[in-house]
């Protein structure tokens, strides 16, 4: 027996075995849908047709492949086997895409998982089709993707299962959100408090205040956290700026600006001045008090920080005279230093 005949017989045997293997897989896949002899025969014919198409296509390229196989029978067979299964895989891809086009997401998912051995695409296909519980099971059991599984359980309104997974992942804010979704405010606030405490321990006072204000609906606690951040030099400017931004009554805001300035230490006066620039533009009723505070700070600091005089223009945007005065002051100071 020459080499070519040996290879031909080997390939014939290989294809036959492959065909039986595929028939077994497909029969297992569609066991619930095809229980009759006719169903099994149809499966056989479909798979046989696919195999015959692949073999016919390979024969068209046989002459070209011989040049490659001359390097060694083993290498040629390996190439042919890979090509065969690549083509079969391509056919399965087409079948899955056809099922998706027909909105038969479950069958498409089975093709991905059982025939293409791609559990992620199977789970994603189930999710896209709205089969959230089934998708969650695949994400969790086959892929160990807790986040994707939790997201699917949430979409399926299986909140208890989603909460358990988010707890395992220590996503406390998400746990709080889902408890609030099911109107369990006690547990929701317990987890929101954990989140706020974590932010505070990391000196993220503004984020902590947002948890109190937006999630726990406790604006008073939010303001206390911002004030604490200002007083303890933790994200100082942002805490002060947000503290003022959360006061919507102008008279009360005027009072808070004046009162807080009275307790501001010298090393934070410049930060307070920056905050006044924002408040000055907020409402005409705030212009007088913010301008007066700015003047006090500038007068206090100008001896050691001459450039602070430039801040006057923020509180007198339409006053050309004061701009000229600033220019003359800077010119005279420069001459003094040159002399």
């Amino acid at each position: 027996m020459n080499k070519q005949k040996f290879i031909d017989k080997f390939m014939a045997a290989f294809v036959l075995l492959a065909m039986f293997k595929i028939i077994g897989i497909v029969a297992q896949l569609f066991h619930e849908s095809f229980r009759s002899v006719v169903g099994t025969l149809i499966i056989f014919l479909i798979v046989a047709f696919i195999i015959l198409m692949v073999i016919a296509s390979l024969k068209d390229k046989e002459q070209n492949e011989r040049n490659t196989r001359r390097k060694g029978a083993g290498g040629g067979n390996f190439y042919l086997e890979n090509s065969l299964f690549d083509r079969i895989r391509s056919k399965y891809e087409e079948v899955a895409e056809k099922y998706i086009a027909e909105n038969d997401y479950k069958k498409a998912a089975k093709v991905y998982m059982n025939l293409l051995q791609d559990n992620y695409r199977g789970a994603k296909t189930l999710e896209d089709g709205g089969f959230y519980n089934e998708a969650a099971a695949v994400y969790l059991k086959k892929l160990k993707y807790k986040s994707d599984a939790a997201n699917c359980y949430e979409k399926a309104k299986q909140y208890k299962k989603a909460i358990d997974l988010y707890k395992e992942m220590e996503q406390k804010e998400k746990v709080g959100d889902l408890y609030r979704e099911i109107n369990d405010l006690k547990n929701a606030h317990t987890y929101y408090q954990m989140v706020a405490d974590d932010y505070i321990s990391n000196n993220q006072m503004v984020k902590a205040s947002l948890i109190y204000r937006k999630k726990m609906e406790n604006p008073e606690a939010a303001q206390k956290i911002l004030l604490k951040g200002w007083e303890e030099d933790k994200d100082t400017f942002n805490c002060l700026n947000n503290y003022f931004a959360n006061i919507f009554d102008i008279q009360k805001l005027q009072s808070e600006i004046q009162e807080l300035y009275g307790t501001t230490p010298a090393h934070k006066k410049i930060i307070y001045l920056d905050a006044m620039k924002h408040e000055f533009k907020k409402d005409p009723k705030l212009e007088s008090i913010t301008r007066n505070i700015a003047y006090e700070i500038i007068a206090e600091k100008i001896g050691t920080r001459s450039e602070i005089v430039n801040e006057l223009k923020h509180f007198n945007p339409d006053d050309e005279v004061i701009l000229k005065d600033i220019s003359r002051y800077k010119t005279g100071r420069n001459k003094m230093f040159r002399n």
Side-chain angles (χ1 to χ4, degrees):
M1 183 185 297
N2 61 37
K3 182 186 293 185
Q4 186 58 47
K5 288 183 178 179
F6 175 78
I7 291 171
D8 290 343
K9 288 187 176 182
F10 177 83
M11 288 308 302
F14 172 80
V15 170
L16 184 62
L17 288 173
M19 185 171 66
F20 281 117
K21 178 63 175 177
I22 294 168
I23 290 171
I25 295 173
V26 175
Q28 182 183 0
L29 171 64
F30 296 103
H31 180 67
E32 295 180 359
S33 301
F34 299 91
R35 296 181 180 276
S36 67
V37 175
V38 175
T40 304
L41 179 59
I42 291 172
I43 295 170
F44 178 89
L45 292 175
I46 291 172
V47 177
F49 177 71
I50 293 173
I51 296 294
L52 288 173
M53 284 183 64
V54 172
I55 293 173
S57 177
L58 288 174
K59 277 187 170 293
D60 291 338
K61 296 184 178 181
E62 184 177 358
Q63 187 61 42
N64 292 332
E65 291 171 354
R66 281 179 181 171
N67 294 331
T68 303
R69 290 201 299 269
R70 283 174 186 169
K71 296 180 179 179
N77 290 338
F78 178 77
Y79 171 81
L80 192 58
E81 290 168 16
N82 281 345
S83 178
L84 172 64
F85 282 106
D86 284 344
R87 291 174 186 279
I88 293 173
R89 182 179 183 85
S90 178
K91 293 297 178 183
Y92 289 152
E93 293 277 2
E94 291 176 11
V95 171
E97 289 171 7
K98 180 176 179 293
Y99 282 142
I100 291 173
E102 296 171 352
N103 294 323
D104 199 339
Y105 291 91
K106 282 191 174 182
K107 283 187 178 179
K110 285 182 178 180
V111 171
Y112 283 130
M113 291 187 290
N114 293 353
L115 296 179
L116 292 170
Q117 300 298 305
D118 191 337
N119 290 324
Y120 179 78
R121 290 173 72 188
K124 192 68 173 65
T125 299
L126 289 169
E127 184 179 354
D128 291 341
F131 300 101
Y132 301 123
N133 282 307
E134 293 88 339
V138 177
Y139 280 131
L140 193 59
K141 295 177 182 178
K142 293 184 178 293
L143 297 166
K144 311 300 180 185
Y145 290 174
K146 292 182 180 180
S147 181
D148 290 304
N151 183 51
C152 283
Y153 280 134
E154 185 179 349
K155 289 179 180 179
K157 300 188 184 303
Q158 297 285 329
Y159 295 118
K160 182 63 172 64
K161 291 181 179 179
I163 285 171
D164 289 342
L165 286 174
Y166 283 123
K167 283 181 179 178
E168 289 181 23
M169 295 183 286
E170 296 187 351
Q171 294 189 24
K172 300 170 188 174
E173 186 172 347
K174 191 66 180 178
V175 172
D177 290 343
L178 292 185
Y179 272 128
R180 188 171 63 173
E181 185 70 26
I182 60 177
N183 294 317
D184 187 345
L185 296 183
K186 181 178 179 181
N187 275 318
H189 284 196
T190 297
Y191 276 86
Y192 286 144
Q193 186 64 57
M194 291 180 190
V195 176
D197 291 343
D198 288 342
Y199 281 137
I200 292 170
S201 65
N202 290 319
N203 296 331
Q204 295 175 291
M205 313 304 274
V206 173
K207 287 186 175 181
S209 75
L210 290 174
I211 294 295
Y212 281 116
R213 178 174 294 278
K214 302 293 184 180
K215 298 297 179 75
M216 301 174 74
E217 298 180 352
N218 189 342
E220 292 81 11
Q223 288 295 80
K224 287 180 180 179
I225 289 297
L226 292 171
L227 201 56
K228 178 182 175 67
W230 160 254
E231 292 171 348
E232 297 181 0
D233 293 338
K234 297 174 181 178
D235 197 12
T236 316
F237 173 79
N238 288 323
C239 283
L240 183 63
N241 193 43
N242 278 273
Y243 180 80
F244 289 146
N246 292 329
I247 301 173
F248 303 103
D249 182 272
I250 295 300
Q251 289 186 338
K252 183 178 180 180
L253 182 55
Q254 287 176 323
S255 176
E256 286 292 321
I257 288 173
Q258 188 64 57
E259 184 177 343
L260 202 55
Y261 175 65
T263 61
T264 298
H267 73 279
K268 288 197 284 194
K269 290 285 182 71
I270 299 298
I271 298 173
Y272 209 91
L273 177 62
D274 288 337
M276 291 303 96
K277 288 189 285 188
H278 288 268
E279 301 307 308
F280 177 83
K281 293 184 268 186
K282 188 179 292 183
D283 190 288
K285 294 177 182 179
L286 296 174
E287 290 181 359
S288 178
I289 186 172
T290 54
R291 183 186 291 115
N292 290 337
I293 289 173
Y295 284 174
E296 285 187 29
I297 295 172
I298 291 168
E300 179 182 327
K301 301 294 184 181
I302 198 168
T304 56
R305 300 181 58 160
S306 60
E307 73 280 1
I308 201 173
V309 71
N310 293 316
E311 302 295 342
L312 289 171
K313 62 187 177 185
H314 294 290
F315 301 92
N316 302 276
D318 301 319
D319 190 338
E320 295 183 2
V321 175
I322 201 165
L323 293 177
K324 291 178 181 178
D325 289 342
I326 292 171
S327 179
R328 281 196 294 269
Y329 171 81
K330 292 167 69 177
T331 301
R333 187 173 178 83
N334 288 338
K335 286 182 178 178
M336 180 182 70
F337 278 111
R338 283 200 296 271
N339 294 332

